[in-house]
Amino acid sequence: MSFIVDYYNYWIVVFLMMAGFYIVISANNLVKKVVGLNIFQTSVFIMYISIGKVSGGSAPILADGITSYSNPLPHVLILTAIVVGVATTAVGLALIVRIKRAYGTVEENEFKDKDALI
Amino acid sequence: MAELIDLVLLGMLAITALRIIFLKDLFAVVMLFGIYSFLSALIFVNLDAVDVAFTEAAVGAGIATVLMLGTLALTGRKEKANSHTALLPLLVVIVTGAALIYGTLDMPPFGDPENPANQHVAPRYIEESPQEVGLPNMVTSVLASYRAFDTLGETAVVFAAAIGVLSLLGLPKQSQATIESGLKSHLVLRVVAKLIIPLILVFALYVQFHGDYGPGGGFQAGVIAAAAIILYALVFGLPLATQVIQPKLLKILASMGVLIYAATGVAGLFFGGNFLDYNVLASDPVAGQHIGIIVIEFGIGVTVFAAILSIFYGFASQAERANIQ
């Protein structure tokens, strides 16, 4: 049992990462690809936070009577990464909107066909 | 008990991700992604990362979902049937996944205080930051003081992303409420929005200025304040929202925030310290840290608010234009 608890978080992280990866390489629709990228990204967030967790620890905010805190450093890295992540996702979505306007479609194979015609 | 909750929540997260793979209705995909974000926020709370959970709930479940829905409004909600075979991607994913699972077996066990990640600088942050920086929230201390240079970079990236979106989509012209926009005809929505928007704004201010003592800070506050204005725009229409917060003002605010942050760093240089060294800002190092952190958190909040809101304005003006045509 302890073997499972020791690695469970990392296994789920790998599963989510692969789910995101699969969506990115197999989906035809660009919006879905962006969702896949976001799932991939979240899996990395969960991995960092899992690494920083200390069993029996508390949130890293100083309080009386608490001696063990979880590691604050991964929290800082991921907190900023989430906000940067949504900003970069927005750039990706904006590109998709422009692709739609230029090609009339956001399906990868369709605008590739149109490219081939040029 | 915490382990059990962790097990269940992560299982739910995996199921949600699995469902997203096979759904063809993109509207449902985006909604499921919102649920996925909320679930990961819960997992972050359970893993003691309260600040991160706060950010994920506001950003992932709130802003990202709105932006994706805005894109869907312009690109259509159905994914067309896939023409190429799914076998090769599946094979690649299974092989990569198996290799990564094999790799995890070399990871230190989950939650062990002796893990290398918890041995390096973390003990110093935990033991000395309450005296050195004088704040109970260690995440804020590390974010705004020890790793302030890093955070300056992140703020600049958010600013740069906003510039990218605006150069692709453009800001709405301040305007001419000629067409019916928003959901003004829904009485319930209108009344609830009017009640809730001031509360959201007050909460954003609380998160901004209480971030030194509890979970919160500039990143979360900026996103929450932007969410209030986005709600206003969704219910009362974009033309009215652009009269309340003008796009021109947002451009100035977004660059102001980064400048305030960088100027605090330069002020440290003038007082004889290093770049972003707050100890020299006041006669007492801890008081200097307080001043520095409040000022740069304010800069972060302003930039994030303006950047997120102008990104939303960009998408909303495109959708509005598509409606007119």
Side-chain angles (χ1 to χ4, degrees):
Chain A
M1 185 63 193
S2 93
F3 176 73
I4 294 178
V5 172
D6 280 352
Y7 296 104
Y8 181 74
N9 276 40
Y10 303 129
W11 292 339
I12 293 284
V13 163
V14 171
F15 177 80
L16 293 176
M17 199 178 264
M18 288 306 113
F21 185 35
Y22 178 78
I23 295 175
V24 172
I25 57 178
S26 78
N28 227 348
N29 187 294
L30 293 178
V31 179
K32 197 156 179 197
K33 271 187 202 289
V34 170
V35 173
L37 271 179
N38 270 296
I39 290 176
F40 195 109
Q41 176 174 276
T42 317
S43 78
V44 178
F45 297 163
I46 294 172
M47 179 168 140
Y48 265 72
I49 303 296
S50 298
I51 289 173
K53 165 76 177 167
V54 172
S55 290
S58 169
I61 296 173
L62 193 69
D64 292 332
I66 290 173
T67 48
S68 168
Y69 296 99
S70 284
N71 189 347
L73 186 57
H75 300 185
V76 173
L77 301 178
I78 297 313
L79 192 162
T80 51
I82 289 175
V83 179
V84 169
V86 76
T88 47
T89 300
V91 177
L93 292 173
L95 282 169
I96 293 173
V97 169
R98 292 302 297 262
I99 287 171
K100 168 78 176 176
R101 210 191 292 160
Y103 289 89
T105 175
V106 290
E107 304 287 326
E108 197 185 6
N109 51 359
E110 289 178 10
F111 68 74
K112 268 192 183 149
D113 291 346
K114 289 196 177 174
D115 261 348
L117 289 177
I118 298 167
Chain B
M1 193 60 201
E3 276 82 12
L4 197 66
I5 297 173
D6 190 52
L7 247 70
V8 173
L9 285 176
L10 282 169
M12 287 163 79
L13 200 63
I15 294 168
T16 316
L18 206 60
R19 190 75 193 104
I20 290 176
I21 297 179
F22 297 110
L23 268 179
K24 288 282 171 208
D25 184 353
L26 291 171
F27 181 74
V29 165
V30 171
M31 285 297 126
L32 268 183
F33 184 69
I35 293 172
Y36 179 90
S37 288
F38 263 127
L39 279 174
S40 32
L42 285 175
I43 289 166
F44 292 145
V45 173
N46 194 40
L47 295 178
D48 297 339
V50 279
D51 281 273
V52 181
F54 208 152
T55 320
E56 178 68 36
V59 168
I63 309 294
T65 310
V66 168
L67 293 181
M68 283 181 186
L69 287 180
T71 314
L72 285 190
L74 294 160
T75 60
R77 64 179 281 182
K78 283 276 177 237
E79 184 190 17
K80 286 185 190 148
N82 211 334
S83 60
H84 51 78
T85 166
L87 213 60
L88 183 64
L90 198 64
L91 197 71
V92 170
V93 163
I94 288 174
V95 170
T96 321
L100 286 175
I101 295 275
Y102 178 66
T104 58
L105 298 180
D106 281 341
M107 295 281 284
F110 170 71
D112 188 353
E114 302 300 317
N115 284 353
N118 301 334
Q119 294 303 320
H120 184 46
V121 287
R124 188 177 181 283
Y125 289 152
I126 292 172
E127 281 152 25
E128 290 179 31
S129 81
Q131 287 82 44
E132 265 183 345
V133 183
L135 297 180
N137 187 352
M138 297 160 200
V139 175
T140 305
S141 300
V142 179
L143 178 96
S145 185
Y146 293 109
R147 297 185 63 89
F149 194 61
D150 187 20
T151 311
L152 175 61
E154 311 269 13
T155 316
V157 171
V158 173
F159 175 61
I163 295 177
V165 171
L166 293 191
S167 52
L168 284 165
L169 299 181
L171 273 172
K173 295 211 172 51
Q174 224 190 90
S175 61
Q176 101 251 354
T178 45
I179 55 154
E180 191 61 21
S181 162
L183 304 161
K184 262 177 283 190
S185 53
H186 298 251
L187 182 67
V188 176
L189 272 182
R190 214 169 59 212
V191 172
V192 172
K194 267 193 184 157
L195 282 175
I196 215 171
I197 286 169
L199 289 178
I200 299 178
L201 284 172
V202 170
F203 183 61
L205 286 176
Y206 165 78
V207 170
Q208 170 82 48
F209 292 108
H210 197 261
D212 307 356
Y213 300 94
F219 282 104
Q220 293 93 329
V223 173
I224 292 170
I229 310 295
I230 290 174
L231 176 63
Y232 185 82
L234 289 177
V235 175
F236 296 95
L238 187 64
L240 217 56
T242 52
Q243 279 166 18
V244 178
I245 306 276
Q246 301 177 1
K248 229 187 294 172
L249 180 71
L250 285 182
K251 280 189 201 165
I252 298 170
L253 282 180
S255 39
M256 275 298 287
V258 182
L259 280 178
I260 290 173
Y261 197 145
T264 316
V266 175
L269 287 180
F270 277 116
F271 284 104
N274 290 321
F275 186 65
L276 287 168
D277 177 4
Y278 314 135
N279 282 345
V280 293
L281 291 181
S283 49
D284 174 24
V286 173
Q289 290 284 348
H290 269 255
I291 296 172
I293 287 175
I294 285 187
V295 173
I296 68 133
E297 285 276 10
F298 178 69
I300 295 170
V302 169
T303 294
V304 171
F305 166 75
I308 298 284
L309 193 55
S310 50
I311 287 171
F312 171 76
Y313 274 179
F315 279 92
S317 71
Q318 291 292 319
E320 202 99 314
R321 200 161 14 148
N323 271 348
I324 296 170
Q325 280 160 2

